[in-house]
Amino acid sequence: MKKFMILACAFMLACVSCGEKDSSGTSGESKNMLVKDNVSDGINVNENEMPFGATMTDLYAPDDVPISISYENRFMTAEEAEKISDYISAVNTCDAELMRKTCYPSYLDYLVEQYENTDVQNYLDTRHQTIANTYTNGDFDFNYIIINSLMDENDDNSDTGFSQLDSKIHEKSPDAQITNRKMVGIDVLYTLTDSDGSYSLSTRTGSDMILYIYTIDGQTYIL
């Protein structure tokens, strides 16, 4: 995850490459986590020394979230996981109202302007169609989210790009109070209307999707 080269909400324009695979487990580790090779040997290991992905929690659709999600409960809250599910669902169904509740308002306005869309609905319609035409090669349905990696404020800004994103937020909302920042890499599994099987968006695009979880003015947002 290098610098601020990918605007989270514009991930669908940054994707390249192709490929398919069946749905599978997680991959990737946070830089500030220790890997313990002997976890499976019956040796007691401190939870903080366990590799990223060792304590995954699932929230299931439709009761808990709109799209099922698997996340690391040591490093993310259930509320943050729910917000990610809401964000992906908004992209999946082109739900402008849900996107307005999920993405920080002034940053969402910036994205609409950046990509010369008329409004949030037009922005989502365009992004959805881009995914279908360029990356999934057909009409898709996102149905599972896997958090593969996480960085926070303890990691180097050259990897997270938090300062650049902070500047963009404060440019649009000078009084915004940012109190927590996380960057996650996620894979989204999907099905196609004209074929069987489940596919990985990360395999199709060549990399995990990057999203930012920010707490601004006491509220959790996905950027």
Side-chain angles (χ1 to χ4, degrees):
M1 304 176 191
K2 296 298 183 183
K3 298 187 179 181
F4 189 59
M5 297 175 65
I6 303 174
L7 290 175
C9 293
F11 73 88
M12 54 289 286
L13 293 182
C15 299
V16 294
S17 186
C18 63
E20 298 177 353
K21 70 175 180 180
D22 294 332
S23 57
S24 59
T26 60
S27 63
E29 294 163 356
S30 174
K31 287 174 54 181
N32 55 8
M33 299 174 202
L34 300 178
V35 178
K36 201 75 170 181
D37 293 332
N38 57 8
V39 173
S40 61
D41 296 333
I43 300 174
N44 290 328
V45 178
N46 187 300
E47 188 176 85
N48 292 331
E49 296 179 330
M50 296 171 69
F52 187 81
T55 58
M56 299 296 280
T57 296
D58 294 305
L59 299 176
Y60 294 105
D63 294 333
D64 300 324
V65 286
I67 298 178
S68 298
I69 183 169
S70 182
Y71 70 98
E72 245 289 6
N73 60 42
R74 290 174 296 169
F75 306 101
M76 287 180 59
T77 66
E79 180 187 8
E80 291 169 339
E82 290 166 4
K83 283 290 186 178
I84 289 177
S85 181
D86 286 343
Y87 174 87
I88 297 300
S89 179
V91 174
N92 189 50
T93 62
C94 298
D95 188 335
E97 182 178 357
L98 181 58
M99 180 59 78
R100 291 189 190 96
K101 294 177 181 178
T102 305
C103 188
Y104 189 60
S106 63
Y107 186 73
L108 182 57
D109 290 341
Y110 159 76
L111 290 171
V112 170
E113 296 171 3
Q114 182 77 6
Y115 292 99
E116 299 180 350
N117 299 120
T118 57
D119 53 25
V120 175
Q121 187 63 62
N122 179 233
Y123 172 79
L124 287 174
D125 291 342
T126 302
R127 302 289 79 78
H128 186 100
Q129 197 60 48
T130 298
I131 298 172
N133 291 344
T134 308
Y135 309 120
T136 63
N137 294 328
D139 192 20
F140 61 88
D141 181 38
F142 290 150
N143 53 47
Y144 207 92
I145 303 163
I146 304 170
I147 308 297
N148 280 335
S149 62
L150 182 147
M151 290 186 177
D152 59 24
E153 293 159 325
N154 294 315
D155 291 293
D156 196 294
N157 183 73
S158 64
D159 292 319
T160 64
F162 289 144
S163 63
Q164 293 93 325
L165 187 52
D166 287 1
S167 296
K168 182 58 63 177
I169 291 170
H170 286 133
E171 178 183 323
K172 299 296 182 179
S173 299
D175 297 328
Q177 298 295 314
I178 302 171
T179 54
N180 191 42
R181 305 162 179 83
K182 295 174 184 176
M183 183 179 78
V184 295
I186 73 171
D187 190 7
V188 183
L189 306 185
Y190 65 92
T191 57
L192 296 172
T193 58
D194 58 353
S195 66
D196 296 328
S198 181
Y199 305 93
S200 159
L201 190 63
S202 291
T203 298
R204 174 66 75 176
T205 63
S207 62
D208 282 345
M209 183 193 310
I210 304 302
L211 296 177
Y212 289 85
I213 308 170
Y214 264 54
T215 302
I216 306 175
D217 299 331
Q219 301 295 318
T220 301
Y221 296 98
I222 304 301
L223 307 177

